[in-house]
Amino acid sequence: MADQTESKKISVNSTISLKGIVKAIFNDTVHVQIGGKIISLPTSDFLLERPRPTQ
């Protein structure tokens, strides 16, 4: 049991993963709802595929 709690420690600069619902995507921000809050994140934090313009 001690090993399990040891691996779940969170500290400053640690990486975590949260599930949320994407509410909007603008040119430079993604708005994600996590629980009752909507947060804005820069698109540079994500690997987003942008549609290619049709010719």
Side-chain angles (χ1 to χ4, degrees), residues 3-23:
D3 292 334
Q4 203 173 35
T5 56
E6 199 65 33
S7 65
K8 300 218 179 225
K9 284 188 178 178
I10 297 175
S11 62
V12 175
N13 291 328
S14 63
T15 301
I16 62 170
S17 177
L18 299 172
K19 289 188 178 183
I21 301 169
V22 175
K23 290 296 188 175

Side-chain angles (χ1 to χ4, degrees), residues 1-50:
M1 187 83 166
D3 292 334
Q4 203 173 35
T5 56
E6 199 65 33
S7 65
K8 300 218 179 225
K9 284 188 178 178
I10 297 175
S11 62
V12 175
N13 291 328
S14 63
T15 301
I16 62 170
S17 177
L18 299 172
K19 289 188 178 183
I21 301 169
V22 175
K23 290 296 188 175
I25 300 174
F26 295 106
N27 291 335
D28 58 350
T29 57
V30 176
H31 299 268
V32 180
Q33 180 178 354
I34 300 174
K37 300 266 184 182
I38 295 180
I39 59 170
S40 300
L41 301 166
T43 54
S44 59
D45 288 353
F46 301 97
L47 296 173
L48 297 176
E49 291 184 22
R50 300 199 180 261

